[in-house]
Amino acid sequence: MAASMYPDYPPALTPEQQEHLVTSLKDWSIAHGLAVRPSPAFATDHTGVLATTAPVTLFPSPFPRRCFEEALAIQTAYNELYSAIARDEPWLKGIVEELVEVDDFIAKLWDIHLAVKKEGYAQDLSLGLFRSDYMIHFDPAAPDSKPEIKQVEFNTIASSFGGLSARVSALHKYLYGGPAHCLPSGINQNSFPPNSSLSSLAAGLAAAATAYGSPKSGSSRLAVLFLVQDVERNVFDQRLLEYELESKHGVCVYRLPFPRILTDTTLDPQTRALLYHPPQASSITVEITAVYFRAGYAPSEYTHPDAWLARHHLERSAAIKCPSVLTHLAGSKKIQQVLATPNSLHISSFLRDHAAAQRVQNTFTNIYPLDDSEAGLKAQELALDPESAKRYVLKPQREGGGNNTYRTAIPPFLRDKVPREKWKGYILMELINPPPLSNSILRNGKIETGGIICELGVFGVCLWRNPTGEDRRGEVLKNSEAGYLLRTKGRESEEGGVAAGFGSMDSVVLVDV
Amino acid sequence: MAASMYPDYPPALTPEQQEHLVTSLKDWSIAHGLAVRPSPAFATDHTGVLATTAPVTLFPSPFPRRCFEEALAIQTAYNELYSAIARDEPWLKGIVEELVEVDDFIAKLWDIHLAVKKEGYAQDLSLGLFRSDYMIHFDPAAPDSKPEIKQVEFNTIASSFGGLSARVSALHKYLYGGPAHCLPSGINQNSFPPNSSLSSLAAGLAAAATAYGSPKSGSSRLAVLFLVQDVERNVFDQRLLEYELESKHGVCVYRLPFPRILTDTTLDPQTRALLYHPPQASSITVEITAVYFRAGYAPSEYTHPDAWLARHHLERSAAIKCPSVLTHLAGSKKIQQVLATPNSLHISSFLRDHAAAQRVQNTFTNIYPLDDSEAGLKAQELALDPESAKRYVLKPQREGGGNNTYRTAIPPFLRDKVPREKWKGYILMELINPPPLSNSILRNGKIETGGIICELGVFGVCLWRNPTGEDRRGEVLKNSEAGYLLRTKGRESEEGGVAAGFGSMDSVVLVDV
């Protein structure tokens, strides 16, 4: 598609044009908080006061309008789906128990759920700030076929970049949305869709804070707690949400580093209200309405034994968790694989709207377990044949575990590096073939131009009440699409993620193909 | 005043409080564009992509409410006064001609006016974005006396920090305006006055763009031109104004480095419309409605011979200048001295409202020429006596010229370093005695705490029509107070200015004294 439709995209620039665009971008980004703390490799700063433009593309990337609109349109169905999974503890139990052996992280999370379940949950409400990530799939063998969105993963915890992403959309509109832009003709105001990520995610957190109701403890102060990592270069992405919550919704926010949970919070003995004791204001106690996890998602964060105690402590509390442990588990790779295993019927059992279920199903790429099930045996065949392996990526099943293996590297990897009894620790996923595109990326002050791959993330907000007693299904209280993120990386790199230093932020310019 | 009223200001902080405040400040500032490009001494950055928090106080500084309100209230009278001076060419001529011998810069500016006057001005409208700077004067010999504002200088060109200043006010309100602030009791929401500097200055430029009217040349594109220095660390202060103009007023802005005036602009032969040819868009021509000088104010910028040709070129043009050459001249130190010479009657001739004239007069500290006039002979006596010299500062009369000499250093300096025939190149100004205050300043990531001196700048917007033909007085079309700036420096330092690396930005917390 784009190769033929946009052979000259992005446009060639004169040195004066490039200088003007890059200067405009550098200044606008800092003036609008589109920033990160610099990596130590780029700038030495012992005082933590320097900032730099977040890695960003010089141009918005062309994206098929139909695909973009479909991705946004089905987000509420995805919210519904993952909320339903998180509410279906018996179903989750069946999946998780298969994993307990191979994935210690999943096992520990499940243990926390079991412990809190035994004691009784103190909070029925759950908040999900989700992000469903897609790439455009384009079948090179069928050049007349339409491009489609295919899901890469679904995030139920710490879905990041919602703060900065709205800014990137505004940046590209600022640079190119005016009358003097230098993009190909046919691109106009309508080509830059609005991006509500910042305001919508903040509205989601505000809805949770409101739904929490009045204080349960003696404290008269209520606040939302952002659980963060100790060192965070992507701090402005989080801060923008915080400022939006405070200025637009009057919701007070505190930031708590993950290692300080047990130091700075306690539970009210009667109500298990989560009480935060700010180290900077020892005389006050704040009751936490909602805990927003921007940390605690990766196994590597749980090396200290107290980390699991801390997670348990939060789960026990009466604060609304974003996400709860069950919601966190719902986002594991294994769930994605189970949903996307060919001929699975799970989707239609969770989503009663058949049309919506079908549209969600259409975004799946085939994912196979590598176990001894029927689908697993089929997968082993596909993975070991060098010809069919070309269309697949092999991923470790466990969360945060190791690197992916691609295409023809799969058969020798499985045969020579992985004992057969460990194969079930992997899944085989059909590769998505994104159309060839080019763009320029500004990172650490340097411009790099070349072939790129784009990944679209659609944010969703879902607030629900979990099943209690007689109520077997719970209830969805708020469900909305919440803007988008476009992340772009060099085509040769196979790993993504701006924070990891590989990718960059981008926005879409919609094209009709 | 403050020494007794605020013996414990700023409050002592626990390490946790300081850590929390400084982290909050560092993050908020970058997220809101309260930033500068780092100095090369602080951070090496060959790519120009790094930014850092603008030097800023950790706390707002106490400021007497009555003084603050008076300074803002008389700004429209000051706008009127300086606009009237700029419109009174015969009066200006009398002053300037005295200076031509000692000040080459003033002489060159005057020559430009004469040349354009001869040809005929192509634009009757003039815009002033002014800033009147004050310090609090407190007579230590009369401890019962009320603190008063005394003028330090009046700026008619490149009055900077209006963009960042609004952000500093918002920062301090964010840090301390809430219920959990740690400032002394008695400080509340009313203690943080609004600061409209950013929106008001942008509204001034927008008013000029509107008053310009429809295009005079064949071009259909109109824009405001920001004339800037080639290397500008304080770029975000300017950019914030630009973004405000574009987003709130739909006014397009271009930035032109001073050395590129003659390269990138031409005059329409018929109308002398100023035509800008953006190097990054060679096919378009933009007609400039207003030129906003953020460069071209200092003699050191005119070392290249083309610089004066360029200034003449702009002055000839039909664009509204902010400021015109006559307005620039009206802001020279000599004018301030003439107005503030004891027993001068100038103010009342320019300001017909006697009450307003008196209030303006009250802000003057005595300034004497060091010439052979009656006031000059009196001044020589005061300057040479070590006892009376203690109350004075000696300043070179010429713009941008050299350092000031303070107090007891004046008599030996005059006697031993300056030949008597050069004395008239200096003015003698009564020192202002600001009350002792303390604060902490964050600069380059480090916190320094100690005695400080504050300088309040009040912005003003004035748009007027110059006299033409029969009309001898012209007409003021817009006149408004436009927010404020508080700049704070260490008490031991005698020179100020954030951009120079000595001072920092601040905001007021109003106190009743």
Side-chain angles (χ1 to χ4, degrees):
Chain A
M1 93 86 219
S4 51
M5 276 213 58
Y6 284 92
D8 299 328
Y9 195 93
L13 299 177
T14 64
E16 292 81 6
Q17 281 177 317
Q18 172 146 336
E19 165 74 17
H20 177 73
L21 277 176
V22 172
T23 301
S24 301
L25 189 162
K26 286 176 182 171
D27 289 351
W28 191 98
S29 57
I30 296 296
H32 293 82
L34 177 50
V36 292
R37 296 291 178 199
S39 71
F42 177 53
T44 317
D45 176 21
H46 302 296
T47 64
V49 81
L50 287 176
T52 185
T53 297
V56 68
T57 57
L58 191 49
F59 301 94
S61 288
F63 203 93
R65 182 184 299 272
R66 205 176 36 80
C67 292
F68 181 80
E69 289 172 352
E70 180 66 6
L72 267 65
I74 61 174
Q75 184 59 35
T76 51
Y78 259 119
N79 295 341
E80 171 88 32
L81 171 63
Y82 274 87
S83 155
I85 290 172
R87 280 177 278 144
D88 194 341
E89 193 248 17
W91 187 84
L92 269 175
K93 185 180 182 204
I95 310 278
V96 166
E97 285 187 343
E98 275 184 50
L99 279 179
V100 163
E101 244 178 80
V102 294
D103 195 327
D104 191 48
F105 186 63
I106 297 285
K108 285 273 192 17
L109 284 173
W110 186 252
D111 286 346
I112 286 178
H113 160 64
L114 291 181
V116 179
K117 184 185 174 191
K118 193 169 173 191
E119 181 182 19
Y121 273 92
Q123 177 58 262
D124 300 335
L125 299 172
S126 257
L127 178 68
L129 297 188
F130 298 142
R131 202 187 67 219
S132 186
D133 292 339
Y134 307 93
M135 291 207 290
I136 296 287
H137 178 64
F138 168 69
D139 187 349
D144 290 341
S145 66
K146 293 267 185 193
E148 296 178 305
I149 45 166
K150 289 294 178 188
Q151 191 180 51
V152 178
E153 63 179 359
F154 191 89
N155 305 280
T156 61
I157 184 167
S159 311
S160 53
F161 297 114
L164 296 186
S165 182
R167 293 289 200 269
V168 177
S169 296
L171 165 72
H172 284 152
K173 194 164 180 180
Y174 162 76
L175 290 175
Y176 305 106
H181 68 67
C182 59
L183 295 193
S185 62
I187 290 174
N188 56 40
Q189 288 286 333
N190 284 334
S191 313
F192 298 89
N195 186 358
S196 74
S197 57
L198 174 56
S199 56
S200 295
L201 294 176
L205 285 163
T210 304
Y212 181 85
S214 48
K216 304 175 197 300
S217 72
S219 172
S220 61
R221 298 168 191 269
L222 293 175
V224 166
L225 195 66
F226 281 24
L227 193 69
V228 298
Q229 294 184 334
D230 228 357
V231 175
E232 178 58 85
R233 289 181 44 225
N234 193 29
V235 62
F236 302 109
D237 181 51
Q238 302 171 357
R239 287 288 199 181
L240 292 176
L241 271 179
E242 171 184 334
Y243 303 145
E244 179 87 4
L245 262 172
E246 292 179 336
S247 63
K248 299 281 164 56
H249 302 278
V251 171
C252 185
V253 171
Y254 288 91
R255 290 169 63 83
L256 178 67
F258 192 72
R260 290 192 62 92
I261 295 172
L262 295 176
T263 327
D264 295 346
T265 71
T266 55
L267 299 191
D268 177 58
Q270 273 76 49
T271 62
R272 278 189 264 155
L274 180 62
L275 303 177
Y276 174 59
H277 312 283
Q280 69 276 13
S282 52
S283 64
I284 70 169
T285 294
V286 184
E287 182 172 331
I288 298 304
T289 55
V291 182
Y292 174 45
F293 282 71
R294 291 296 293 258
Y297 53 86
S300 59
E301 293 176 86
Y302 290 80
T303 49
H304 194 281
D306 280 356
W308 286 110
L309 288 176
R311 184 71 189 264
H312 179 240
H313 170 83
L314 293 181
E315 192 70 8
R316 288 184 68 216
S317 82
I320 299 173
K321 271 73 68 184
C322 175
S324 67
V325 161
L326 289 184
T327 311
H328 186 172
L329 285 167
S332 62
K333 284 180 194 172
K334 179 69 183 180
I335 303 288
Q336 188 196 14
Q337 173 240 301
V338 168
L339 296 176
T341 299
N343 306 317
S344 125
L345 298 172
H346 298 294
I347 297 289
S348 48
S349 75
F350 285 116
L351 289 180
R352 292 183 172 180
D353 177 338
H354 291 302
Q358 187 56 53
R359 286 165 78 180
V360 165
Q361 191 101 45
N362 288 346
T363 67
F364 293 162
T365 186
N366 288 329
I367 306 181
Y368 298 91
L370 227 63
D371 56 17
D372 295 330
S373 67
E374 195 183 332
L377 294 173
K378 166 82 178 154
Q380 293 180 24
E381 212 174 284
L382 292 166
L384 292 171
D385 175 350
E387 196 49 41
S388 56
K390 280 182 186 167
R391 291 182 290 118
Y392 289 90
V393 53
L394 186 75
K395 292 183 173 186
Q397 179 133 213
R398 45 184 294 183
E399 300 300 310
N403 294 317
N404 300 334
T405 306
Y406 289 86
R407 303 177 197 270
T408 52
I410 299 174
F413 177 78
L414 274 181
R415 269 197 305 262
D416 307 338
K417 301 278 173 62
V418 188
R420 199 177 185 94
E421 67 274 17
K422 300 269 185 194
W423 286 13
K424 68 177 173 182
Y426 290 84
I427 58 168
L428 189 72
M429 186 169 175
E430 207 169 12
L431 279 168
I432 306 171
N433 263 302
L437 283 172
S438 289
N439 208 329
S440 297
I441 293 175
L442 174 71
R443 179 166 31 230
N444 291 347
K446 288 192 200 109
I447 294 282
E448 291 162 13
T449 302
I452 50 133
I453 291 176
C454 296
E455 192 170 311
L456 176 72
V458 180
F459 293 102
V461 167
C462 197
L463 177 69
W464 67 88
R465 187 177 303 283
N466 288 307
T468 48
E470 292 302 293
D471 166 26
R472 301 282 300 277
R473 296 189 53 88
E475 181 193 4
V476 173
L477 305 174
K478 180 181 169 74
N479 179 357
S480 59
E481 170 259 299
Y484 80 93
L485 159 73
L486 192 69
R487 269 188 304 182
T488 287
K489 59 185 177 180
R491 201 168 173 93
E492 65 285 5
S493 153
E494 304 274 15
E495 294 286 335
V498 173
F502 292 94
S504 84
M505 304 194 67
D506 196 350
S507 79
V508 302
V509 57
L510 297 182
V511 296
D512 294 301
V513 287
Chain B
M1 159 228 47
S4 51
M5 274 213 58
Y6 284 90
D8 299 327
Y9 195 93
L13 299 179
T14 63
E16 291 81 7
Q17 282 178 317
Q18 171 145 337
E19 165 73 19
H20 177 73
L21 278 175
V22 172
T23 301
S24 300
L25 190 161
K26 286 175 182 172
D27 289 351
W28 191 98
S29 58
I30 296 297
H32 293 82
L34 176 50
V36 293
R37 295 292 180 198
S39 70
F42 177 51
T44 318
D45 176 23
H46 302 297
T47 63
V49 82
L50 286 176
T52 185
T53 297
V56 69
T57 57
L58 190 50
F59 301 94
S61 288
F63 203 93
R65 183 184 299 272
R66 206 178 35 81
C67 292
F68 181 80
E69 288 172 353
E70 180 66 6
L72 266 66
I74 61 175
Q75 185 59 34
T76 52
Y78 259 118
N79 295 341
E80 172 89 32
L81 171 63
Y82 274 87
S83 156
I85 290 172
R87 280 176 279 145
D88 193 339
E89 193 248 19
W91 187 84
L92 269 176
K93 185 179 182 207
I95 310 278
V96 166
E97 286 187 342
E98 276 185 50
L99 279 179
V100 162
E101 246 178 82
V102 294
D103 196 328
D104 190 49
F105 185 65
I106 297 286
K108 286 272 195 10
L109 285 173
W110 187 251
D111 286 348
I112 285 178
H113 160 64
L114 291 180
V116 178
K117 183 186 175 192
K118 194 169 173 190
E119 181 183 19
Y121 273 91
Q123 177 59 261
D124 299 336
L125 299 173
S126 257
L127 178 67
L129 297 189
F130 298 142
R131 202 187 67 219
S132 186
D133 292 338
Y134 307 93
M135 291 206 291
I136 296 288
H137 179 65
F138 169 70
D139 187 349
D144 290 341
S145 67
K146 295 266 186 193
E148 296 180 303
I149 45 167
K150 290 294 177 186
Q151 191 180 54
V152 178
E153 64 179 0
F154 191 90
N155 304 281
T156 61
I157 184 168
S159 311
S160 53
F161 298 114
L164 296 187
S165 183
R167 292 289 200 266
V168 177
S169 296
L171 166 72
H172 283 153
K173 195 165 179 178
Y174 161 76
L175 290 176
Y176 305 105
H181 67 69
C182 60
L183 295 192
S185 62
I187 291 173
N188 55 41
Q189 289 285 334
N190 284 334
S191 312
F192 299 88
N195 186 357
S196 73
S197 58
L198 174 56
S199 56
S200 295
L201 294 176
L205 286 163
T210 303
Y212 182 84
S214 47
K216 304 173 196 300
S217 72
S219 172
S220 62
R221 298 168 192 270
L222 294 175
V224 166
L225 196 65
F226 280 25
L227 194 68
V228 297
Q229 294 185 333
D230 229 354
V231 176
E232 177 59 84
R233 289 182 42 225
N234 193 28
V235 64
F236 303 109
D237 182 51
Q238 302 170 356
R239 287 289 197 178
L240 291 177
L241 270 179
E242 171 184 334
Y243 303 144
E244 179 86 3
L245 264 171
E246 291 178 337
S247 63
K248 298 282 164 55
H249 302 278
V251 170
C252 185
V253 171
Y254 288 91
R255 291 170 63 84
L256 178 67
F258 192 73
R260 291 192 61 92
I261 296 172
L262 296 175
T263 327
D264 296 344
T265 71
T266 56
L267 299 190
D268 176 58
Q270 273 76 49
T271 63
R272 279 191 262 154
L274 181 61
L275 303 177
Y276 173 59
H277 312 282
Q280 70 275 15
S282 52
S283 63
I284 70 169
T285 294
V286 184
E287 183 170 332
I288 299 303
T289 55
V291 182
Y292 174 45
F293 282 71
R294 290 296 292 257
Y297 53 86
S300 58
E301 294 175 84
Y302 291 80
T303 49
H304 194 280
D306 280 357
W308 286 110
L309 289 176
R311 184 71 188 262
H312 179 239
H313 169 84
L314 293 181
E315 192 70 8
R316 289 184 67 217
S317 81
I320 299 173
K321 270 74 68 184
C322 174
S324 68
V325 161
L326 288 183
T327 310
H328 186 172
L329 284 167
S332 62
K333 285 181 194 170
K334 180 69 183 179
I335 303 287
Q336 187 196 16
Q337 173 241 301
V338 167
L339 295 176
T341 299
N343 306 317
S344 125
L345 297 171
H346 298 294
I347 296 290
S348 49
S349 76
F350 285 116
L351 288 180
R352 292 181 171 183
D353 177 338
H354 290 301
Q358 190 54 54
R359 287 166 77 180
V360 165
Q361 192 101 44
N362 288 346
T363 67
F364 293 161
T365 186
N366 287 328
I367 306 181
Y368 298 90
L370 227 64
D371 57 17
D372 296 331
S373 68
E374 195 182 331
L377 294 174
K378 166 80 178 156
Q380 292 180 24
E381 215 174 282
L382 292 165
L384 292 171
D385 175 349
E387 196 49 39
S388 56
K390 281 182 187 167
R391 291 184 289 116
Y392 290 89
V393 54
L394 187 75
K395 294 183 173 187
Q397 178 130 216
R398 45 181 298 182
E399 300 299 313
N403 295 317
N404 300 333
T405 307
Y406 288 86
R407 304 177 194 267
T408 52
I410 299 173
F413 176 78
L414 275 180
R415 270 197 305 261
D416 307 338
K417 301 278 172 62
V418 189
R420 196 173 188 97
E421 67 274 16
K422 301 272 186 192
W423 286 12
K424 68 175 173 186
Y426 291 84
I427 59 168
L428 190 72
M429 185 169 176
E430 208 168 10
L431 280 168
I432 305 171
N433 263 301
L437 283 173
S438 291
N439 208 330
S440 297
I441 293 174
L442 173 71
R443 179 168 31 233
N444 291 348
K446 287 191 201 110
I447 295 281
E448 290 161 12
T449 302
I452 50 133
I453 291 175
C454 296
E455 193 171 310
L456 177 73
V458 179
F459 293 101
V461 167
C462 197
L463 177 69
W464 68 86
R465 188 176 302 285
N466 288 308
T468 48
E470 291 303 291
D471 164 28
R472 300 282 300 278
R473 297 189 53 90
E475 180 193 4
V476 172
L477 305 175
K478 178 181 170 75
N479 180 357
S480 59
E481 170 259 301
Y484 81 94
L485 160 73
L486 192 69
R487 269 187 304 182
T488 287
K489 58 185 178 179
R491 201 167 173 94
E492 66 286 4
S493 153
E494 302 276 12
E495 295 284 336
V498 174
F502 291 94
S504 84
M505 303 194 68
D506 197 348
S507 80
V508 302
V509 57
L510 297 181
V511 294
D512 294 299
V513 288

